[in-house]
């Protein structure tokens, strides 16, 4: 699993970081985005729907929100 630390970054920076990194990972691999901006909870799943990627879900890592995305294509 690849982890992108976007803590402290505001919208739209976590989504931009995800979009830039995803082409570098293999199809089926999961990218975890650490993002404490409240907008990320809506922005990341919406970006996945628009881009045809799989939003796996949200979790908490060391007290910070984390969002998992699997590269679908």
């Amino acid at each position: 699993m690849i982890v992108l630390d976007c803590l402290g970054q505001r919208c739209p920076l976590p989504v931009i970081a995800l979009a830039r990194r995803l082409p570098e990972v293999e199809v089926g691999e999961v990218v975890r985005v650490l993002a404490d901006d409240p907008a990320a909870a809506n922005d990341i799943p919406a970006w996945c729907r628009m881009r045809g990627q799989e939003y796996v879900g949200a979790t908490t890592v060391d007290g910070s929100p984390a969002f998992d995305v699997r590269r679908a294509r």
Side-chain angles (χ1 to χ4, degrees):
M1 177 180 298
I2 294 168
V3 178
L4 295 178
D5 186 349
C6 297
L7 296 173
Q9 297 180 13
R10 296 291 167 224
C11 176
L13 295 178
V15 171
I16 291 170
L18 174 61
R20 287 183 177 161
R21 187 65 188 268
L22 203 63
E24 300 172 9
V25 304
E26 298 291 327
V27 171
E29 194 168 4
V30 174
V31 176
R32 173 167 284 170
V33 183
L34 304 177
D36 52 3
D37 179 6
N42 294 320
D43 292 350
I44 292 174
W47 181 87
C48 290
R49 285 190 303 274
M50 291 177 4
R51 300 294 181 199
Q53 303 302 328
E54 181 184 350
Y55 177 67
V56 179
T59 189
T60 303
V61 175
D62 296 330
S64 297
F67 306 92
D68 294 342
V69 176
R70 180 175 289 117
R71 182 170 178 194
R73 54 186 179 115

